[in-house]
Amino acid sequence: MIKKRFFTMIMMAMILIIAACSDGEVKSDAEGAKSEGSTTDEKSGGSLYLGTTAAPTLFNPYYSTDTSSSTIEGFIFSGLVTVDHDFNPEGDLAEDWDVTEDGLKWTFYLRENIKWHDGEDFTADDVVFSYNIPLNEDYVGPRGLPFEVIEEINKVDDYTVEIILSEPYAPFITITAQFEVLPEHILGDVPVADLGTQRFNTKEPIGTGPFKFKEWREGEYIELVANEDYYLGAPKLDSIIYKIVPDMNTLMAQVQVGDINLAGISPEYMETAKNLEDKGIVKLESGPSNSWEYIGYNLRNDLFKDKLVRQALTHAIDKEAIVQAILDGSGTVAHGPGSPANWSFNPDVAKFEYNPEEAKKKLKEAGWEPGADGILEKDGQKFEFVLKTTSANEIRQQIAEVAQQQLSEIGIKTTIELLEWSAYVEETSPPKWNFDAIVAGWSIGSDPDPTWFWHTSEIENGLNYGGYSNPEVDALLSENTKLSDLSERKDIIGKADAIVTEDQPSTFLYNPQGHLAVSIDLHGPKFSAANTYYKIHEWYVE
Amino acid sequence: MITYIVRRTLMAIPLLFIITVISFTMMLMAPGDPTALMMDPMIKQENLEAYKEAYGLNDNVVVQYVRWLGNMVQGNFGESLIRQGVPVSELIIARLPNTLLLMIVSSVIAFLISIPLGVISATKRNSLTDYSITFVSFLGIATPNFWIGLVLIMFLSVHLGWFPTGGVSTLGGDFSILDRLHHLILPAFVLATADMAGLTRYSRSSMLEVLRQDYIRTAKANGFKNKTVIFKHGLRNGLIPIITILGLMLPSFIGGSVIIESIFAWPGIGLLFVEAAFQRDYPVIMAVVVIAATLVVIGNLLADVLYAIFDPRIEY
């Protein structure tokens, strides 16, 4: 009897094993060309293997917010325009466009030879349909803001669309017009309230981009195959495999063994990446990132209300040492907001260089005197605060430690608090703003509009977490989005950045360098802060 | 026996209920929510509020729990908050087979290696072999298996290239059992190491106990060969308590799979749980908690039932 039961158990186990060996994935019904692995002809074909540590969520640009989803959406869909390596707008679905002098009416002339991945023709109806989604009152998605300025969208003819704005808005061309267009013939009849949960978004996205969706294997990878009918010509790559890996260690191991042939490298893995380059496994493509890292102060806190104090804090922190010791030189010291990768960058701002003596002098001027224990005091209050950052970022933790040490040298006591990412966001963002100071970073995006970070209107619900407010900056920032002339705009943004730098609402630390590890047989990728996958249809694996 | 199983199963219901109440409350009390991932200049606060409203995240914890429980008892785990429109059951169905496969194969490996080692250790008591096995066992108990996993990946996968660094199959390749096994061996072995050391010690003690029994001495006195006495008479009885451990091992496999799946990029429910926890995808977290708790309850029940099957002295 025991033998019989034992045999039955073994049989059940075998059945489970066989069941597990069969496909346990969420499969697509969408048809795509069969992957041919990585066998290639020279200068044509092959597969691009990308890796991500954060799984995508869904493929619909009006509902997704994460980088992985956006990257894949960029392969499947196209927008009216895209940006080149230097942030210049370039026609995509739109062959050309013009704007009236008052900046209110934009007319887009669409290409006529474009087909959706299911073979249908792309027309103006698709643009009118797509750009109206965020304007619909039933829309429950995160992308309302860039479309707020749109008053109406009109189809002039099958290949011409005009968009009327309620006020001039310079970022319209590089933000709003970059939004990908969805197929009206598939989604046109779906109530807008239901668009976010459509099967289309996860199982069968249909776009006009260079690659077609083939399969999403749950927890493993997303496979895209070349769109032979792509309007700029069939991509040279056969397919793109977007692998989902649990962490950067695994990702780096996969780069090393050649399972991933293109990966962005964060500063803590630069040493490993350089080793791989020395061994001839990858080549590194590098350049300035469109971002900056900073220590942000909560200006609601009495400690940080005085500009002199904030300038003193910046004087006390050795940014060059941070760049050299923590980043291994992979960044440039920042003095103000913005990034040298961006056309709007103003390098001629005030510089509060590392100078602990100057810091002490300014603090004394502001009324802070050393107490019996060496910690600065003013009106019975000690100068001590909590410096928060996220446990998910090793570099920021190290920066917090360096800042703690260097601030203690001028009599300021800091306590470091590390929070898990979600908890960190909840604590530091509206409506809590529960922090004294944070170590954080901002990315600028395809348009350099600094309104998000410094305008008073962004304090209540926006990204101006520190609560910085300066009427002069407000006026300049309000002006910047109304100018379509780039040099005039650069001038205005530069002036605003100079005032912000003088005010030091944050200690601007550095602009990181970005790095791409590219396997030696992959041709095409070039590091770009603006558009990593620019002209991806021309890339190939040798 | 049937009555006992039914009684135990009924007793499991309030237990599972309490587990879900505690888990749900802790999950919602933890800081952060799914909108933490949506830190983007292009997202308005109103958009975030509309999202929270649409998914009932603004309701109090009791309302959310009752709603979740109502759906769950009808077999509906709800929809993912992050992968909007995707039912949680679909995510679980896609991942559970991978975890079960890993658990079963690692159990088989653990038993196949530990029991013979335990038996050898017991029969050669106080010899160099015994001491060596004991040393390795204690080393195994003291070494975290995630570390063993990382070391094996570095040497066997990255340096020697003998095994893949992760995943369940070769990307773009056709389905093949051999390919699956190739991907399975390392994670299954590392997961097995969590229990191997303990099992070896346990089977050694169990065998030592049996070898001291009168019937073993009698069998030896009757002239049976040493091998026959150990394997036919000793092992059969020595295995009884070890087999019951199978059930008790289930919880450790669930816990272990969370770590091992993360290291080996093995897309099972352990990895799904980790992803969901970071993203605060509440319905997914709860679904995995319910499955894991159910497996633990089943494991314990299985242990008791197996004991009754293999040891005729036990009566229920």
Side-chain angles (χ1 to χ4, degrees), chain B residues 6-71:
Chain B
V6 171
R7 199 171 69 233
R8 283 288 302 270
T9 308
L10 289 176
M11 277 166 62
I13 293 171
L15 180 68
L16 287 173
F17 174 73
I18 293 167
I19 291 171
T20 60
V21 170
I22 295 171
S23 308
F24 201 92
T25 312
M26 283 174 64
M27 183 181 74
L28 287 197
M29 298 283 279
D33 65 39
T35 58
L37 293 176
M38 302 178 184
M39 239 177 55
D40 186 312
M42 283 189 276
I43 300 175
K44 288 192 295 185
Q45 194 65 26
E46 300 96 90
N47 291 147
L48 294 181
E49 283 307 314
Y51 170 87
K52 287 183 184 176
E53 203 57 45
Y55 284 94
L57 297 172
N58 286 333
D59 297 331
N60 72 44
V61 63
V62 179
V63 173
Q64 290 193 53
Y65 178 75
V66 170
R67 188 169 49 228
W68 173 81
L69 188 67
N71 287 331

Side-chain angles (χ1 to χ4, degrees), chain A residues 129-182:
Chain A
F129 161 71
S130 302
Y131 283 25
N132 267 308
I133 293 172
L135 300 176
N136 193 294
E137 58 181 18
D138 292 333
Y139 172 69
V140 187
R143 298 303 187 194
L145 205 55
F147 293 86
E148 245 181 355
V149 73
I150 295 179
E151 206 157 76
E152 54 182 278
I153 306 168
N154 303 312
K155 170 184 171 182
V156 178
D157 59 46
D158 269 358
Y159 295 99
T160 313
V161 176
E162 62 175 29
I163 299 176
I164 317 288
L165 307 187
S166 55
E167 57 182 80
Y169 184 58
F172 176 79
I173 192 69
T174 46
I175 293 184
T176 318
Q178 260 212 81
F179 264 81
E180 289 93 341
V181 176
L182 299 176

Side-chain angles (χ1 to χ4, degrees), chain B:
Chain B
M1 174 66 95
I2 299 288
T3 320
Y4 174 77
I5 294 174
V6 171
R7 199 171 69 233
R8 283 288 302 270
T9 308
L10 289 176
M11 277 166 62
I13 293 171
L15 180 68
L16 287 173
F17 174 73
I18 293 167
I19 291 171
T20 60
V21 170
I22 295 171
S23 308
F24 201 92
T25 312
M26 283 174 64
M27 183 181 74
L28 287 197
M29 298 283 279
D33 65 39
T35 58
L37 293 176
M38 302 178 184
M39 239 177 55
D40 186 312
M42 283 189 276
I43 300 175
K44 288 192 295 185
Q45 194 65 26
E46 300 96 90
N47 291 147
L48 294 181
E49 283 307 314
Y51 170 87
K52 287 183 184 176
E53 203 57 45
Y55 284 94
L57 297 172
N58 286 333
D59 297 331
N60 72 44
V61 63
V62 179
V63 173
Q64 290 193 53
Y65 178 75
V66 170
R67 188 169 49 228
W68 173 81
L69 188 67
N71 287 331
M72 206 270 291
V73 292
Q74 295 171 55
N76 176 10
F77 281 119
E79 283 185 4
S80 163
L81 294 178
I82 303 296
R83 302 269 299 279
Q84 293 168 40
V86 178
V88 174
S89 53
E90 197 172 302
L91 297 175
I92 299 283
I93 289 168
R95 305 260 195 142
L96 192 58
N98 288 332
T99 297
L100 291 177
L101 176 68
L102 187 62
M103 283 167 61
I104 290 165
V105 175
S106 66
S107 309
V108 171
I109 292 173
F111 273 82
L112 285 181
I113 295 178
S114 312
I115 292 173
L117 283 181
V119 171
I120 292 167
S121 201
T123 52
K124 300 191 182 241
R125 196 181 169 203
N126 295 334
S127 68
L128 183 64
T129 313
D130 181 29
Y131 292 142
S132 305
I133 292 172
T134 302
F135 176 76
V136 171
S137 297
F138 280 115
L139 199 66
I141 289 168
T143 314
N145 66 345
F146 73 84
W147 184 82
I148 298 174
L150 291 174
V151 169
L152 290 183
I153 289 175
M154 278 312 293
F155 281 99
L156 301 182
S157 304
V158 176
H159 287 300
L160 297 173
W162 291 354
F163 294 97
T165 52
V168 290
S169 59
T170 302
L171 297 191
D174 292 328
F175 171 76
S176 127
I177 295 239
L178 278 180
D179 180 56
R180 290 273 167 137
L181 282 175
H182 192 210
H183 283 77
L184 180 62
I185 291 170
L186 268 194
F189 175 77
V190 175
L191 184 57
T193 58
D195 285 289
M196 254 187 308
L199 264 178
T200 305
R201 298 295 303 154
Y202 204 86
S203 48
R204 179 184 182 273
S205 312
S206 182
M207 273 306 285
L208 278 178
E209 186 83 15
V210 168
L211 292 177
R212 283 195 208 105
Q213 300 295 318
D214 291 343
Y215 65 85
I216 296 289
R217 214 173 307 136
T218 312
K220 279 184 182 169
N222 283 340
F224 286 110
K225 281 183 193 163
N226 204 28
K227 214 171 171 182
T228 314
V229 173
I230 291 167
F231 287 100
K232 198 168 175 192
H233 300 91
L235 187 59
R236 243 172 120 167
N237 293 303
L239 275 181
I240 294 173
I242 298 166
I243 288 169
T244 60
I245 294 179
L246 181 68
L248 299 174
M249 276 165 58
L250 268 178
S252 68
F253 278 126
I254 293 285
S257 73
V258 170
I259 297 162
I260 298 304
E261 287 179 8
S262 297
I263 292 171
F264 287 95
W266 186 266
I269 58 167
L271 192 51
L272 180 67
F273 183 77
V274 174
E275 292 161 7
F278 280 115
Q279 295 171 329
R280 302 290 192 274
D281 199 346
Y282 302 138
V284 177
I285 295 173
M286 283 311 293
V288 179
V289 165
V290 168
I291 290 169
T294 308
L295 282 177
V296 171
V297 170
I298 291 173
N300 280 290
L301 181 61
L302 196 67
D304 290 344
V305 172
L306 284 174
Y307 216 89
I309 292 173
F310 287 99
D311 192 342
R313 292 169 298 180
I314 306 285
E315 277 185 21
Y316 293 99

Side-chain angles (χ1 to χ4, degrees), chain A residues 405-425:
Chain A
Q405 167 64 27
Q406 295 187 336
L407 290 175
S408 76
E409 286 166 15
I410 58 161
I412 294 174
K413 186 183 174 191
T414 52
T415 310
I416 297 170
E417 191 177 323
L418 299 178
L419 293 166
E420 183 268 336
W421 176 250
S422 193
Y424 169 80
V425 172

